[in-house]
Amino acid sequence: MSNPKKIFLSDAEMPRQWYNLAADIPMHPPIGPDSQPITPEMLAPVFPMNIIDQEMSTDRWIDIPDEVLGMLARWRPTPLVRATALEAAIDTPAKIYYKNESVSPAGSHKPNTAVAQAYYNKEFGIKRITTETGAGQWGSALSFACSLLGLECKVFMVRISFDQKPFRKMMMASWGGKCVPSPSMETQAGRQILEQDPDTPGSLGIAISEAIEQAVSDPTGETRYALGSVLNHVMLHQSIIGLETQKQLKKFGEKQVDVVVGCAGGGSNFAGLAFPFIHDVINGATIKVVAAEPISCPTLTKAPFTYDHGDVAKMTPLMPMHSLGHTFIPAPIHSGGLRYHGMAPLVSAAMQEGFIDAVALPQTECFDAGILFARTEGIIPAPETNHAIAATIREAKLAKEEGKEKVIVFNLSGHGMMDLLGYEKYLSGNLEDYELPMEVIERYQSVIKDHPQPV
């Protein structure tokens, strides 16, 4: 074919190093209650030291261990696909490409860091890992990764998603993971929340508190916690997405990229695609990098850049990030992976430096985009990915208005095969938009008003 529909890389062409944006961008350090930067020793009860080393590293390139490459090779490199049918449907002169991360065993980008984190925990002598999950993609991915390495996996799943997405629980169980709804009666943090609000839909902040509490309270010292987004080492592991994409675009014959799009909740899939391109921007390229988030949880578009905790019980350090407040309880929209109160510190730093354009989208527009994509390109996307598709369609229509043949690439971060109840609600006309009111944002901001400010 003279005009290929998709480009694959060989196993030998898979990147052998991760890219670390922390080497190229000013960062405020995470701090403790005394406002002093935290030390590696402070994080040791939560994470293994080899992961803490990556979290604090400012090396630009970090080698991927051969054992991790072997696990990644089960599904990587993933294809880069030209969305020609979508282009035709919206009548745009733009060329639209999508990086298809839905081909992983768990159906999303999440295993890219899950296998790495499970590997480093195993190397450090850890026997079990606790974590949280929103939509269930991360819980599924970590359960899968732990099954490869013989580790136990305990997942606290946000209650509303636990109820909305029953098949995610079955996926976790199939890989040996144990999934419980959060808040639960298994932890002090969970019991306190349920006492205050027995009907709470839960939040990622609550689930994180429960998972960390169980990890640090293990008297054997053989349990650690793993996070699927937000932290620097997660962004690092996900950079393989953008690094592969850069190679594939060259094979498509593209000399430059005009727009890079990803949905953004905690920041992992967005950063995975975008950070290697932000590296190009830092070195002189002109690329519009778009982070698409829900209007019900607008961290980048409406939340201040401040120091805040990553969880409700304040077990995490204070991190420099755009945050709606660590006690924020999001609306129960169907994009469970985009309901986190804060944005990754590295993504927030890139936003502060002007490398990112952020847009907040209503979920009906996003499901419109997902249905159009399903009926043109064939894949039913995850509700989170629908935000990236909707933002891409906006950019493609803008290209038409401007009469420019732009090159747009977005991250198809996951399929929607486990999210069909959300599609059913949309198709039956029962899906409603909810824009977070400013008065609600201001109310939740009260918990961070006395926090230190990044300067």
Side-chain angles (χ1 to χ4, degrees), residues 201-401:
S203 72
L204 279 167
I206 296 170
I208 290 171
S209 292
E210 293 205 90
I212 294 177
E213 181 183 323
Q214 281 219 333
V216 301
S217 62
D218 179 5
T220 69
E222 295 179 340
T223 303
R224 291 295 186 276
Y225 165 74
L227 188 62
S229 192
V230 180
L231 297 180
N232 293 1
H233 65 272
V234 182
M235 311 294 117
L236 175 79
H237 301 155
Q238 293 292 358
S239 67
I240 195 169
I241 300 171
L243 295 170
E244 286 183 3
T245 302
Q246 289 173 326
K247 291 184 177 184
Q248 289 162 311
L249 284 167
K250 288 179 182 178
K251 290 196 171 192
F252 265 115
E254 302 295 357
K255 293 183 173 58
Q256 69 176 44
V257 179
D258 298 292
V259 185
V260 174
V261 182
C263 63
S268 67
N269 90 80
F270 168 77
L273 176 66
F275 279 7
F277 290 95
I278 290 177
H279 178 254
D280 290 346
V281 173
I282 291 170
N283 288 282
T286 301
I287 303 171
K288 183 178 182 180
V289 180
V290 180
E293 63 184 10
I295 61 170
S296 61
C297 193
T299 51
L300 286 172
T301 52
K302 290 188 177 179
F305 179 61
T306 185
Y307 270 110
D308 195 15
H309 296 281
D311 71 308
V312 171
K314 300 188 285 190
M315 300 184 75
T316 65
L318 286 161
M319 296 184 290
M321 60 183 180
H322 285 269
S323 177
L324 290 162
H326 57 269
T327 61
F328 176 68
I329 302 294
I333 61 168
H334 282 270
S335 296
L338 305 185
R339 295 199 301 241
Y340 187 55
H341 69 271
M343 186 56 65
L346 268 173
V347 175
S348 296
M351 183 77 177
Q352 290 300 111
E353 292 297 310
F355 295 129
I356 295 172
D357 287 280
V359 58
L361 300 167
Q363 66 174 348
T364 52
E365 179 183 345
C366 297
F367 271 89
D368 284 343
I371 289 291
L372 178 61
F373 191 83
R375 293 176 181 177
T376 52
E377 295 298 320
I379 297 172
I380 300 173
E384 294 82 9
T385 294
N386 288 344
H387 289 70
I389 299 171
T392 295
I393 290 172
R394 286 189 180 188
E395 291 294 329
K397 289 180 176 178
L398 178 61
K400 182 179 180 180
E401 292 173 12

Side-chain angles (χ1 to χ4, degrees), residues 38 51 54 124 142 146 248 269 272 339 385 414 433 435 441:
I38 61 169
I51 284 182
Q54 287 191 347
F124 197 72
L142 191 62
C146 286
Q248 289 162 311
N269 90 80
R339 295 199 301 241
T385 294
D433 290 327
E435 183 170 2
I441 295 175

